Structure formats: C-alpha cells, structure tokens
Amino acid sequence: MNVSEPEPSSTLRAFWHGASRPSLVAAVGAILLGLGQIAVAAAILTTERVARFPLGFLMEDAFDYYGYVTQQALKMSSANGAPPTVVLFGTSASRCALADHDAFGRRLGEAVGRTVDFRLLATGSQTLWEASAVAEHLPADLSGVVLVEISPWRLGAGPERLRELIEQPRLGLDSRILRDAARAEGFEIPEPTGRYLIDHGPFLVSRRWTLLRNALFGPPKYSEVPRNTHHVVDEQRMLETVEVMEERMAAFTEGGAQAAPVLRELVAELRRRPGLRVALFQSVVHPRLLGIYGDRYPAYLEFSAALANELDLPLWQPGTEARLETKDFRDWIHIYTRDAQDRYADALANELVPILTTTTSGAGS
Amino acid sequence: MRRFARWLGVAIQLLVLGQLLFVAVSQMYVVQTGARIFRYAGF
C-alpha cells in the first residue's frame, strides 16, 4: 500500500482502498495462501486419511464406479477381521448381469449359513491391471472367494491400454503390479510416497469440485447398475457398434493374450492371502457374436481353459449356464432383463456356494 | 477505525487472490496432466 497516499475520508472508502488497490502485503499473502493450501493438502492427505472419507465421497455421481471401487479398496485395506467375503473383479458386463448385489450377497449367506460380504468391485472396461491394483489392497487375513472375469478383450489388453492407464488413471490406487508392468514397458514410474495428492494427483484433482460438492451436500447415492441400463439399443446402433466387438476380439486373436502375465500376477497376489480361493469366470457373450466371431471364440475358450488349468483355477461359464438369449441383452455386452439376471445369479451361485462352503468352514485354500 | 477498515480490505483481497491462485494452479495441473473423471461410454 502506498504510504504517501492521502488517508481515505471514510471507513468505507478505506476498506475499498484496501481491497482494491494493489498491495505487496495482499500479493505476498495471496501467494502464500494459494500455494500453502496445496502444500497443506499434500501433507495432510495421506492414503490412510483418504481411506477414512465416507464411502461415496470420491464419487462424482451415482455411476462413478471408479471413485467407488477406489474407496472400497482403500477401506478394505485397513479393515481386519472381515466376515467371509466374495469379491468380484470384472467389467460393466458383470455389474449388469448381477443387478441386485445385496440380494446376491444375502443369498450366498443363507446358502452357507453365515454372513457373507459380497463386494462387486467391477468398473466399466476394467483391465486386469486395475483388478490387480484393487487386489493388492485386500487385507492379508481376508477369507472367502475372489471371482475374476475374463474375456478376449481383458486377456488381449496390451501396452497401449497400459499407457492409457498410466497417463489417465481411472482408479486412485497404488499398484506394484502395474508399476512393474509399466517399467517393463519403459515408463518411468516413481515409487509411491504415501501422500495421496502426490501419488494420485490427476485422480484427486479431477475430482476437486466433486469433493467440494460432496463435503457440502454429502456423497451421491450409489447405483448398483450403470446409467441407461434399461434402454435397449436399436438394431441400427448395434450394427454401428459391432466394430467395437470385432476390435475387442482382434485384441486377443491378433495381439495374443498379452495380459495373461498380468492374470498370473493377479492370481499370485491373491494367493498371498491364505484364506482366499480364486475362480475365473467367462464374461457374458451375446449369442449373435458367436456367429460373428466364428472359429475365433472356440479358440479363445480353448486358450482360456488351458490358462485356468495352468493356474490350477476353476473356470466357470455362468452366461452359458444361464442360457442367455439375444432378447436378454440390451446391447452387445450388457444383459438387462430381470429374468436373465436371475438365471445368471443362479448359475454363479451354484458354482460359488460349494467352494464358499469349504472356505468358510475353515478349509482355506 | 479507518486503519482497521483498510487492513480488512487488504485481508479480503488476500483471501480472494489466494483462492483464485489455488484454483488457477489446480486448473493448470488438470490441463497439463489431462486429468479427468473417466466415464465409461458403453454403447
């Protein structure tokens, strides 16, 4: 403030002068305040503190499953003594196939005679690297079953997909498996510091307005199924998007099962938890795609069966068991009829209950 | 009183500029990193 300036004649004018005239005190103070807020946020937002945020706090809306799964993983990592748990890693196809997740968990609990915690940790187009990142956060004493969805697309995901995940992470989770894979591909990935803002800056900063809104008005209500899942895609749109499915299969047939090593790492990570059993299951497949894929789908099935055998894991096909038909699908990937969802839940539960029974009776893996 | 009012004005200026700087820095970070909340497009 210029000291040679004449004193303002009224209190209001003095206030206005102070607020509107350039001032060294205000300029330095503003820089300290602005940068200080960032420094304080970086210092106090540890991973442990973020894990204590109310569930849903990182969600932009009811369908932000990346924020939801991130928080679930962080919360599970610090929770010990959890009841027998069934965890499902998968994509939106599995999320839509199991529409009523709470009812599915209750059903499993009734079948084995004790409370079963069912955690559907599926996210849209989830890769096996992302599943691994979540798996690394499961507590060491967790018991139960982990279900891992596989598909040509999931097993065919290669370095390009990995690059996308590194440049624009969808989950805010540290992952040794992802770091190792990225370094093997030549990316420079620093070790995590434990400071969430530093380790997951893009994930957290992209949610800055979401965090503010959720702090003021509370987190959004979680929706079990994605937006528009009851809207059936018309034939024109189906024909327009069949290329997407072709590309997904091509990722496997042309690129090979590039993500098979990630699946091996994921299974090894899960097996570090003695109370957990692991099972693979095939993603649902639209009956029309079987004709479009031709010989490629049986070849994929043969490969995935061999891979499951190598890993000594059961491989289930709940979609086949549920006898899914064209009319059950709203698009190429997602089933939407309640009847189909019930049949799918039946098929999955039929496979799951025997293995869950042995696990909860203390047989372990 | 006038002195207090002037410093109150400076404080208000400091707070507003500080918040704007905070928002600007975070926005620059978003632009630089391409950070965004991923939305699964589905079909």
Side-chain angles (χ1 to χ4, degrees), chain A residues 111-112 145 352-363:
Chain A
V112 299
V145 182
L352 194 48
V353 167
I355 194 172
L356 192 57
T357 304
T358 53
T359 307
T360 54
S361 65

Side-chain angles (χ1 to χ4, degrees), chain A residues 1 7-8 11 14-15 18-19 21 29-30 34 37-38 60-61 66 92 168 170 201-202 205 208 227 241 333, chain B residues 1-2 5-6 8-10 13-15 17-19 21-22 25-27 29-30 34-40 43:
Chain A
M1 196 166 292
E7 279 290 306
T11 306
F15 171 76
R21 299 271 171 102
Q37 284 180 91
I38 296 169
E60 185 191 30
D61 56 29
Y66 305 99
S92 59
Q168 296 198 320
R170 306 188 295 191
V205 175
R208 63 200 184 286
R227 185 186 277 126
T241 53
I333 292 175
Chain B
M1 187 62 188
R2 284 205 301 267
R6 190 170 61 186
L8 184 64
V10 170
Q13 183 186 158
L14 184 158
L15 288 172
L17 290 180
Q19 288 307 314
L21 181 65
F22 177 69
V25 170
S26 63
Q27 188 61 35
Y29 181 78
V30 165
R36 65 188 176 93
I37 300 176
F38 186 83
R39 308 301 302 180
Y40 174 60
F43 287 85

Side-chain angles (χ1 to χ4, degrees), chain A residues 173-335:
Chain A
L173 297 172
D174 292 320
S175 170
R176 173 191 57 79
I177 293 173
L178 195 145
R179 268 200 312 279
D180 289 349
R183 285 169 182 161
E185 292 294 331
F187 294 100
E188 287 185 17
I189 308 288
E191 285 296 312
T193 63
R195 303 288 166 190
Y196 201 79
L197 186 60
I198 296 169
D199 296 336
H200 304 288
F203 176 84
L204 200 61
V205 175
S206 66
R207 284 170 165 76
R208 63 200 184 286
W209 301 120
T210 297
L211 293 171
L212 180 63
R213 185 203 61 201
N214 290 346
L216 293 174
F217 305 111
K221 191 172 182 298
Y222 166 74
S223 168
E224 290 190 319
V225 290
R227 185 186 277 126
N228 294 334
T229 41
H230 301 294
H231 162 72
V232 183
V233 172
D234 61 37
E235 182 60 18
Q236 176 68 25
R237 182 72 184 147
M238 289 289 277
L239 294 174
E240 286 169 3
T241 53
V242 72
E243 274 179 28
V244 176
M245 303 312 297
E246 281 282 12
E247 285 169 11
R248 288 183 167 211
M249 177 51 94
F252 175 79
T253 52
E254 292 171 17
Q258 297 179 88
V262 190
L263 181 63
R264 292 188 186 98
E265 289 252 34
L266 168 61
V267 172
E269 175 65 32
L270 292 169
R271 282 182 167 151
R272 292 200 179 96
R273 293 150 184 84
L276 281 183
R277 301 281 295 273
V278 186
L280 306 178
F281 70 100
Q282 297 286 5
S283 186
V284 295
V285 58
H286 195 296
R288 283 170 65 184
L289 285 176
L290 296 175
I292 293 168
Y293 289 158
D295 292 341
R296 291 175 293 173
Y297 196 71
Y300 157 75
L301 288 180
E302 195 175 327
F303 173 85
S304 51
L307 184 59
N309 194 44
E310 172 206 318
L311 293 168
D312 193 22
L313 294 176
L315 172 58
W316 304 334
Q317 300 196 48
T320 306
E321 297 295 320
R323 304 175 315 283
L324 298 178
E325 300 172 33
T326 297
K327 66 179 172 59
D328 296 323
F329 286 80
R330 66 168 292 268
D331 55 32
W332 289 115
I333 292 175
H334 307 105
I335 62 174

